[in-house]
Amino acid sequence: MRVGEVVLKAGTRLRPQEFGLLAAVGRANVKVQPAPRVAILSTGDELVDASAKPGPGQIRNSNGPMLVAQVARAGGVPHVLGIARDEPDHLRALITEGLQADMLILSGGVSAGKLDLVPGMLSELGVQALVHKVTMKPGKPILFGVKGSKLIFGLPGNPVSSLVGFELFVRPAMRALKALEPGPCWVSAALPKDHTYRTDRPTYHPARLRMTEAGWTVEPIPWFGSPDLRGSQTANAFVLLPEGDHTHRAGDRLAVLRVEDDL
Ligand code: AMP
Ligand code: MG
């Protein structure tokens, strides 16, 4: 290295070798951009906290803790806003607080039912919706909007819709905020067995992705759809099944959404 030479440009992501390089040139202190702060708001009158016992017609808030873990895995700083009731004043107050963060993720209340107050309230608070509804399964009613530099995602309430919507849309946005290639990360993997299915929309089906000597393989796992979080628990990826009636043969390759780095 020559005197006066730039060793690391501003905006460079700090990986282990950058820390080593900074130390080597005596830069013990550097200015860094903080990780994105991501507010998380679960919505729904039926929801109770995980620590509470649900009464008749109630269920525990599973999306909140799941989104906290997803934000953390994606390198963001989660800020938990709790549960908003399906009631305009309560929802308005919590969304207003969430809009202080770099990014706001809501779950539930985003489709077209009477109690789906999220799209209307976001619009009232000055959020411009750029996307509402995507041809996909699970999770069609997903919403993406902006307010100034803030990014807002409304994920559908069913747990696997929320899980997939985050990996497919929110995580790439977080990567972009961190000056990384947004992704998402696709892997082409071979089926070990024939697989027959029918679906009316492109479907992100929970699956097991494995690295073998012959390359990546992927096996769709039994799964009962967007409320079936338990069924998706043994998955470590989502295989993209094109819409229609199909039989894919053993050895055929399919696109797989990779969500775990340490397989
Ligand atoms: P919604 O999108 O609000 O119509 O919710 C769709 C389904 O997901 C309903 O059965 C909700 O009870 C359920 N749901 C909504 N939010 C959550 C959550 N935070 N945790 C678990 N299930 C939820
Ligand atoms: Mg709801």
Side-chain angles (χ1 to χ4, degrees):
M1 290 181 272
R2 305 217 172 271
V3 171
E5 207 178 305
V6 174
V7 173
L8 288 177
K9 289 204 200 87
T12 301
R13 191 161 78 105
L14 301 182
R15 301 167 301 167
Q17 53 270 55
E18 280 80 21
F19 282 100
L21 199 48
L22 287 166
V25 297
R27 291 297 302 265
N29 290 291
V30 287
K31 280 192 188 155
V32 295
Q33 177 88 28
R37 238 171 66 89
V38 183
I40 296 163
L41 180 59
S42 307
T43 77
D45 283 342
E46 75 282 22
L47 301 179
V48 298
D49 191 74
S51 58
K53 190 169 157 42
Q58 295 186 321
I59 55 166
R60 295 193 180 93
N61 172 17
S62 36
N63 295 349
M66 185 159 60
L67 286 165
V68 167
Q70 285 182 290
V71 167
R73 176 163 73 180
V77 180
H79 174 66
V80 177
L81 296 171
I83 299 168
R85 293 190 299 278
D86 292 322
E87 189 270 304
D89 291 340
H90 195 226
L91 187 61
R92 185 182 296 109
L94 287 170
I95 291 179
T96 303
E97 187 184 340
L99 288 172
Q100 304 300 307
D102 300 310
M103 205 185 261
L104 167 62
I105 307 173
L106 301 103
S107 91
V110 81
S111 33
K114 205 165 115 272
L115 287 179
D116 292 325
L117 305 176
V118 168
M121 187 54 70
L122 288 175
S123 152
E124 183 192 312
L125 293 171
V127 174
Q128 186 195 358
L130 301 178
V131 175
H132 190 191
K133 292 193 178 68
V134 173
T135 308
M136 62 181 280
K137 217 180 202 170
K140 183 171 161 192
I142 195 161
L143 183 148
F144 168 60
V146 293
K147 182 178 183 180
S149 65
K150 315 284 177 160
L151 306 181
I152 298 94
F153 291 88
L155 303 177
N158 271 306
V160 187
S161 304
S162 173
L163 182 70
V164 171
F166 180 96
E167 296 298 333
L168 208 51
F169 299 104
V170 185
R171 192 166 177 179
M174 289 180 63
R175 290 177 59 86
L177 285 185
K178 298 201 292 179
L180 295 170
E181 280 296 318
C185 176
W186 295 103
V187 173
S188 168
L191 288 169
K193 299 196 287 246
D194 292 359
H195 184 67
T196 299
Y197 70 90
R198 165 187 298 189
T199 184
D200 58 349
R201 275 173 264 151
T203 296
Y204 297 83
H205 190 109
R208 280 212 69 83
L209 179 65
R210 282 193 191 89
M211 180 45 117
T212 69
E213 273 181 10
W216 291 106
T217 65
V218 66
E219 219 170 332
I221 59 168
W223 176 60
F224 298 105
S226 57
D228 186 16
L229 190 55
R230 170 91 196 272
S232 71
Q233 188 271 325
T234 52
N236 62 358
F238 296 91
V239 60
L240 175 52
L241 302 176
E243 74 173 88
D245 251 317
H246 297 279
T247 294
H248 297 297
R249 296 295 174 196
D252 285 356
R253 302 190 80 83
L254 291 170
V256 180
L257 177 65
R258 183 174 170 183
V259 297
E260 289 176 20
D261 299 328
D262 45 358
L263 287 183

